[in-house]
Amino acid sequence: MSGPAPSAESRRLAPGRLVVATHNAGKLREIRELLAPFGFDTVSAGELDLPEPEETGVTFEENAVLKAQAAASAADLPALADDSGLAVDALDGAPGIHSARWAGPDRDFDRAMRNLEEELQKKSATDPDKRTARFVAALAIAWPDGHVETVRGEIEGTLVWPPRGERGFGYDPMFLPEGFDRTFGEMSAEEKHGGDRNDPANPPLSHRARAFAALVEAHVEP
Ligand code: ITT
């Protein structure tokens, strides 16, 4: 028989110790909140003093896999990574996978949001219908033997100027999710996460919460 080898079977994460492979404090807080109901014993890449791998991928998924596999192999534990960003239609998907980079080495998101607004002004993207964007989050779980699973979540919205709200992190104060009149920067953590994947009346809202719902559905032991 010829042809490609069958892909390894889909895997589920068992309860136990889990590395959260991020050095971003805002993400870490949200991931811990989203993981809370599942009883994992989490330790962050920062707490383990793990190095930050270079993000050389060209997709969110590739970068999430790089980060999860680097942490799983360094810590000899399963590891969960998130690669995320804001894709702006008028900017052909920028900043996208480079969303963190737009904030510079000091991670200055006031500056990143100003840069973003300047780019939108250059494109004459002043009307809300020209200011559409989506937040994307790819999550990867990697095991020390190299196996990896990925999922993705997205949320559509519009970019407002000036930014509104002090909550959340990163680009949250500019992002008005579709169907809402408050930005992620004006929402509590619970509002930004949204509801339950099993409740059609109140489903998960943020890109990260939606990716989590997909992760739990397919790759976490029930
Ligand atoms: P790690 O790689 O250590 O996880 P990072 O900040 O470098 O941290 P990314 O490369 O995935 O992570 O960059 C994602 C950037 O996209 C992040 O720095 C934020 O600016 C932005 N971003 C992602 N999710 C966001 C959210 O929920 N709210 C606001 N901004 C978000």
Side-chain angles (χ1 to χ4, degrees):
M1 292 254 294
S2 60
S7 62
E9 257 177 59
S10 168
R11 203 180 279 185
R12 286 181 183 269
L13 194 59
R17 202 157 155 80
L18 175 67
V19 181
V20 181
T22 180
H23 289 82
N24 177 319
K27 264 192 202 179
L28 178 62
R29 190 179 58 241
E30 290 193 359
I31 291 171
R32 282 197 154 135
E33 288 162 1
L34 290 161
L35 278 173
F38 303 98
F40 291 102
D41 171 18
T42 61
V43 59
S44 75
E47 287 156 2
L48 290 176
D49 216 10
L50 301 182
E52 284 190 65
E54 217 185 319
E55 296 184 24
T56 52
V58 296
T59 63
F60 292 108
E61 281 80 1
E62 282 175 18
N63 283 332
V65 167
L66 281 172
K67 291 186 272 192
Q69 287 187 324
S73 115
D76 200 23
L77 287 169
L80 172 66
D82 163 311
D83 199 68
S84 45
L86 184 63
V88 181
D89 292 319
L91 307 180
D92 301 320
I97 61 167
H98 303 303
S99 294
R101 237 172 268 176
W102 276 37
D106 302 334
R107 293 288 183 259
D108 178 350
F109 280 94
D110 289 334
R111 178 178 133 193
M113 288 190 283
R114 268 198 315 278
N115 288 346
L116 189 51
E117 181 58 21
E118 278 168 24
E119 293 303 316
L120 286 169
Q121 295 292 335
K122 282 186 208 160
K123 302 273 181 189
S124 303
T126 46
D127 294 344
D129 65 345
K130 294 203 175 108
R131 298 171 62 91
T132 52
R134 71 201 50 74
F135 265 130
V136 180
L139 296 175
I141 302 183
W143 282 261
D145 68 358
H147 186 89
V148 65
E149 301 283 0
T150 63
V151 292
R152 171 185 278 234
E154 300 189 1
I155 168 83
E156 302 286 330
T158 303
L159 298 176
V160 301
W161 193 260
R164 293 178 0 212
E166 305 283 324
R167 295 171 139 174
F169 68 99
Y171 299 89
D172 277 343
M174 263 186 99
F175 189 81
L176 185 65
E178 201 170 72
F180 290 77
D181 57 10
R182 291 176 329 126
T183 68
F184 273 171
E186 294 172 303
M187 292 186 179
S188 66
E190 293 71 30
E191 290 173 285
K192 180 179 171 186
H193 295 323
D196 192 285
R197 73 194 160 94
N198 297 315
D199 180 1
N202 183 26
L205 179 62
S206 77
H207 49 312
R208 189 161 293 105
R210 289 177 176 182
F212 252 85
L215 188 80
V216 167
E217 182 78 34
H219 301 301
V220 173
E221 272 189 10

